[in-house]
Amino acid sequence: MNVHRYCTSGGKDLIKEYLDKLPRRESAEGYYIIENLEKYGLDYLNALKTRQLESKLWEIKYPRHNRIFYVLYDSENIYFLHACKKQKGKAEIFEINKARRRSKEIY
């Protein structure tokens, strides 16, 4: 599976930037998810803790309240749109809105 990480028009990889700022263990877990998605594809995605937010927008939840918002374009391409740390009981609306806006660039 091809894992595409959201980049700004200037080429800044926002997902990588987020993962690199996390504590080492949390960062490693994020990169582990990316590696296994590339290697095992949909089988690995099904093993992750995911939640559908709306139509094509989903999130991967992983330890320490980290979230990666994504869309599955097809069986071979997944786009990571936004990553954040969940601070409250629900995902912050502005974080979801960022992912929603970025998903419109893909579809």
Side-chain angles (χ1 to χ4, degrees):
M1 173 175 277
N2 301 306
V3 177
H4 306 277
R5 297 187 305 242
Y6 184 82
C7 293
T8 64
S9 58
K12 192 175 189 181
D13 184 338
L14 298 179
I15 305 302
K16 181 182 183 316
E17 187 176 282
Y18 174 79
L19 292 174
D20 289 347
K21 288 181 181 177
L22 291 173
R24 195 163 83 183
R25 182 175 178 196
E26 293 175 42
S27 177
E29 289 175 27
Y31 283 115
Y32 181 78
I33 288 169
I34 292 170
E35 285 178 32
N36 282 318
L37 282 171
E38 291 172 339
K39 190 173 183 179
Y40 302 111
L42 291 177
D43 291 335
Y44 186 71
L45 184 62
N46 292 330
L48 294 172
K49 187 173 184 179
T50 62
R51 176 174 73 122
Q52 185 175 17
L53 299 172
E54 58 187 44
S55 62
K56 297 182 183 211
L57 184 60
W58 291 71
E59 74 176 351
I60 296 171
K61 301 177 184 181
Y62 73 98
R64 301 281 183 224
H65 305 288
N66 290 295
R67 305 289 186 258
I68 300 175
F69 298 98
Y70 71 93
V71 292
L72 191 60
Y73 190 77
D74 56 32
S75 63
E76 293 298 318
N77 293 285
I78 188 170
Y79 287 84
F80 284 4
L81 303 171
H82 184 60
C84 65
K85 188 170 286 256
K86 187 172 178 180
Q87 298 294 331
K88 297 181 181 179
K90 292 184 177 181
E92 299 292 336
I93 276 298
F94 63 88
E95 302 289 359
I96 294 171
N97 285 338
K98 281 184 192 179
R100 186 180 293 132
R101 283 191 305 271
R102 292 172 182 174
S103 73
K104 289 178 184 176
E105 294 175 23
I106 295 167
Y107 285 103

